[in-house]
């Protein structure tokens, strides 16, 4: 396919300075470092890494795929690395929870190909249900953990980490956070490594090639792994990504890693503390360069550790200080009397400036224009929560389920949501989800709720999430005859993370045609006794189907299938099809607000001056669901 | 255009709601700055924040810029694609004497239509922006202009043109045009350039 515009991350123009997203810079590092296999499952903030690799994969003879969950992705990469290819497995922080099992094993297998695990942590939970510091998982697996501070450094690190991983025959973690993944910055392109290896499992990995004595020698021991860790600790001393910024003679010091370095650096400049506060930037946080840190500490009276989430570096530095400088006062998160950096939420220059001012005994910065008289203006600012898009099929699905519950007068029910856009059914006006845990858990948690309460327990899960993690739970429900109702909202995309394809679409990451995994075939194959398939844009038929599923005495599944509205709008635009927004006939509209109060599509707006509803045609995509809901037939299809 | 050879720090916010084309607009401005040899950081939020929620891009340009997040009271210019989002970001981020370029077409939250919240009038918003300390405010209904061009989604390009026409950006208009030309193709390019010029002229005449 020819295209006029080649995105900057795919250009073969070494030396050119371009603007790249952090995730694109990591993907570019994969290309420049000779990566050959990449596998991932979408998850914010890490999704664009695999998307970018998939975008240039064809062009450069690389293989990139979405797997159906992070564990599978990690296993695919483990296989490729054990066969000698350079490989990258990227995922969001909680994705690593899924990959932990194979990770704990592959560290003992001495893979010959460079193997980078990218963990995208999400301080402040911009798109996540928890904050989780995955540096502890690197520590648990005995693999080194590197933290870049900006896109340019992320690219450089990625290239070099392939070499480090191969030198130690050990996977490495590139730990990034949302403010690295989703920051755009200027990056200088390097040369693209074009070596393409043919994979082969090394003789010392394959058990076919090792002589068999007792059988027990097949269980690899931990000792060589621990020896690697010691060597990595020594090697950390000379890493170029660790750097002391000081004039000499400073009595105060700051240690900062990853993105936090930027805040510390700006804060020192803003408070005019150059020459008074020395800064040690760390590019590796496990294992730490102990000599470098000991030397840094030995000159100081006081130290401030600036890092996001857990006191991971601070804990280790405290241990180092015992010998290096026992009198040093360490500020950060651990000591309640010296706690200057919050353990929750992401940092910024303002937070770090305040901490640093207190630490250095200088006046705290006052932001201009933040006087109390502006409180009145603040109250004027209308809050705006998240919502599903106009025309979203999930909103219709939720409305119809609610109608069926009302019709059957079911009052004792619990609805467990899952990870995806339908989670927003918990917001007004539908407000119908009670709670949720992690990926796929609606299926299992609803079973526990059903057993505990004896009432109706309903799980709501998306297509991609069901295929990721919902299947074993459904098998369990069928096996134990636990009478849950499971609604699978199939919008034919992994919408929340950016419309990536999944097994149900049959299209692969590299936009090739694979084989389509039909969700209803999976559900039928498990042996679910009641299955309904609906189009949520057809309101009364869908309410009927939900009613049947709710009445069924046993586990039941409703697949609600309709393409994501945002995708539908995009497709129409691409194909030149004009969408027909609906409009409200002001003669018929009584201003009852049923459409808004029971359905609440953002395209439906109430005009208090006329006491009538109207439809914002810039948002309406013509799904027509509201016209089926209006009790006065006042909503009409446009021309 | 502000002439700044040794630009240390210039902060711009593009604020709107998910789906308004905020990210493309910020990518274009930042690419233009890189083209002119500047150090650039753009912080944005993706994922859940896109779904009809507030979205802001922080574009930071200059030799002293490291953090991808902007601190309170440090924005030099706010380009608001929606009135309440303009106000939300101005209140938190505009420095006294900073500038504003605002689309006056509201996108009303569901809670307002339900009667649970109030959406301020344009007059109230303009007065509040001035009270916060905005020195120059350029405003017009860019969505209506985009609809007249035949496609509501080019509103972001009209606003980009308006930002360039305000003279408050430290980047040449030519560099921005160049990036748009590189980035888009065919009839879409024509339409987007037309939208850009329309916004540019609208802004200059205010």
């Amino acid at each position: 396919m020819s295209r006029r515009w080649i995105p900057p991350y795919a250009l073969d123009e070494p030396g050119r300075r371009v603007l790249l997203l952090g995730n694109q810079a990591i993907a570019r590092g994969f290309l420049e470092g000779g990566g050959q296999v990449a596998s991932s499952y979408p998850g914010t903030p890490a999704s664009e890494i695999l998307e970018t690799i998939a975008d240039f994969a064809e062009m450069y003879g690389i293989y990139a795929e979405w797997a159906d969950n992070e564990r599978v992705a990690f296993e695919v990469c483990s296989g490729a690395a054990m066969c000698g290819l350079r490989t990258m497995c990227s995922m969001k922080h909680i994705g690593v929870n899924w990959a932990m099992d194979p990770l704990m094993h592959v560290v003992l297998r001495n893979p010959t190909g460079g193997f980078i695990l990218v963990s995208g942590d999400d301080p402040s939970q911009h798109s996540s249900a928890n904050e989780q510091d995955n540096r502890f998982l690197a520590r648990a697996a005995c693999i080194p953990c590197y933290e870049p501070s900006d896109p340019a450094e992320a690219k450089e690190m990625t290239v070099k980490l392939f070499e480090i991983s191969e030198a130690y025959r050990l996977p490495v973690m590139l730990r990034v956070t949302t403010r690295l993944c989703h920051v755009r910055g200027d990056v200088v392109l390097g040369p693209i490594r074009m070596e393409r290896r043919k994979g082969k499992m090394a003789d010392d990995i394959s058990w076919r090639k090792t002589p068999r004595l007792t059988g027990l020698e097949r269980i690899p021991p931990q000792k060589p792994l621990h020896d690697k860790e010691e060597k990595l600790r020594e090697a950390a001393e000379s890493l170029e990504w660790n750097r002391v910024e000081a004039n000499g003679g400073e009595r105060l010091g700051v240690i900062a890693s990853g993105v936090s370095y930027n805040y510390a650096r700006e804060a020192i400049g803003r408070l005019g503390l150059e020459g008074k506060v020395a800064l040690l930037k760390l590019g590796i946080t496990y294992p730490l360069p102990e000599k470098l840190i000991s030397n840094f500490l030995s000159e100081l009276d006081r130290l401030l550790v600036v890092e996001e989430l857990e006191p991971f570096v601070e804990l280790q530095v405290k241990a180092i200080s015992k010998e290096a400088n026992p009198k040093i006062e360490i500020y950060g998160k651990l000591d309640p009397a010296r706690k200057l950096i919050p353990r929750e939420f992401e940092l910024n220059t303002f937070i770090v400036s305040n901490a640093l001012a207190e630490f250095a005994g200088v006046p705290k910065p006052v932001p201009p224009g933040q006087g109390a008289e502006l409180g009145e203006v603040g109250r004027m600012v209308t809050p705006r929560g998240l919502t599903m898009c106009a025309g979203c099929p999930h909103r219709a699905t939720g409305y119809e389920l609610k109608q069926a519950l009302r019709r059957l007068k079911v009052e004792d029910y619990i609805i467990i949501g899952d990870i995806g856009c339908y989670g927003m059914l918990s917001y007004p006006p539908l407000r119908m989800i009670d709670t949720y845990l992690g990926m796929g858990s609606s299926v299992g948690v609803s079973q526990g709720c059903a057993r505990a309460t004896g009432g109706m327990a309903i799980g709501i899960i998306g297509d991609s999430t069901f295929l990721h993690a919902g299947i074993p739970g459904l098998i369990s429900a069928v096996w134990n005859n636990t009478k849950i109702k499971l609604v699978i909202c199939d919008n034919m995309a992994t919408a929340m993370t950016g419309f990536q394809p999944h097994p149900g679409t049959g299209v692969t990451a590299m936009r090739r045609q694979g084989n389509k995994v039909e969700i209803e075939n999976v559900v039928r194959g498990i042996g679910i006794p009641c299955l309904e398939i609906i189009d949520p844009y057809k309101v009364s038929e869908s309410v009927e189907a939900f009613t049947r599923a709710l009445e069924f005495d046993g586990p039941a599944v409703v697949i609600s299938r309709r393409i994501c509205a945002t995708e539908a709008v995009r497709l129409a635009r691409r194909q030149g099809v004009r969408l027909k927004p609906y409009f409200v006939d002001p003669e018929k509209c009584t201003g009852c607000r049923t459409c808004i109060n029971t359905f609440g599509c953002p395209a439906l707006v109430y005009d208090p001056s006329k006491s009538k509803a109207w439809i914002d045609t810039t948002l309406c995509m013509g799904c027509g669901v509201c016209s089926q809901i209006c009790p006065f037939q006042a909503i009409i299809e446009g021309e | 255009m502000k002439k700044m050879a040794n630009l240390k720090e210039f902060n711009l916010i593009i604020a709107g709601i998910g789906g308004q084309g905020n990210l493309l607009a910020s990518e274009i401005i930042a690419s233009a700055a890189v083209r002119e040899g500047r150090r650039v950081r753009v912080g944005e939020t993706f994922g859940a924040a896109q779904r009809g929620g507030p979205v802001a891009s922080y574009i930071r340009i200059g030799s002293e810029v490291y953090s991808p997040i902007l601190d309170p009271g440090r924005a030099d210019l706010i380009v608001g694609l929606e009135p309440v989002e303009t106000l939300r970001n101005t209140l938190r981020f505009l420095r006294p004497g900073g500038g504003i370029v605002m689309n006056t077409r509201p996108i009303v939250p569901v809670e307002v239509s339900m009667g649970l919240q109030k959406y301020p009038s344009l007059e109230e918003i303009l007065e509040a922006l001035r009270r916060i300390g905005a020195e120059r405010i350029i405003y017009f209904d860019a969505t209506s202009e985009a609809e007249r061009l035949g496609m509501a989604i080019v509103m972001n390009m009209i606003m980009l043109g308006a930002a360039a026409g305000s003279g408050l950006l430290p980047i040449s208009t030519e560099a921005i045009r160049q990036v748009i030309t590189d980035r888009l193709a065919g009839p879409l390019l024509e339409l987007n350039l037309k939208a850009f010029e329309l916004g540019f002229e609208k802004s200059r005449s205010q």
Side-chain angles (χ1 to χ4, degrees), chain A residues 1-59:
Chain A
M1 202 176 79
S2 74
R3 55 178 171 190
R4 193 174 145 272
W5 183 70
I6 297 175
Y9 49 73
L11 291 171
D12 189 9
E13 294 179 32
R16 179 155 167 189
R17 217 165 59 91
V18 296
L19 182 78
L20 292 186
L21 193 66
N23 282 342
Q24 294 170 345
I26 294 169
R28 174 71 190 192
F30 177 86
L31 181 63
E32 291 181 12
Q36 280 181 262
V37 173
S39 186
S40 175
Y41 179 82
T44 315
S47 311
E48 296 82 9
I49 299 172
L50 193 279
E51 272 180 331
T52 306
I53 296 174
D55 196 39
F56 57 57
E58 198 92 63
M59 214 166 144

Side-chain angles (χ1 to χ4, degrees), chain A residues 290-308:
Chain A
E290 292 189 354
K291 288 188 201 108
L292 178 71
I293 291 172
S294 294
N295 287 340
F296 186 69
L297 297 183
S298 64
E299 305 289 317
L300 303 176
D301 298 329
R302 281 186 287 155
L303 174 77
L304 175 66
V305 183
V306 180
E307 61 188 320
E308 285 180 323

Side-chain angles (χ1 to χ4, degrees), chain B residues 10-12 14 26 29-30 40-42 57-61:
Chain B
F10 178 87
N11 299 312
L12 160 71
I14 303 184
S26 76
I29 290 193
V40 178
R41 291 289 177 271
V42 187
S57 303
Y58 312 112
I59 304 164
R60 309 192 63 212
I61 305 169

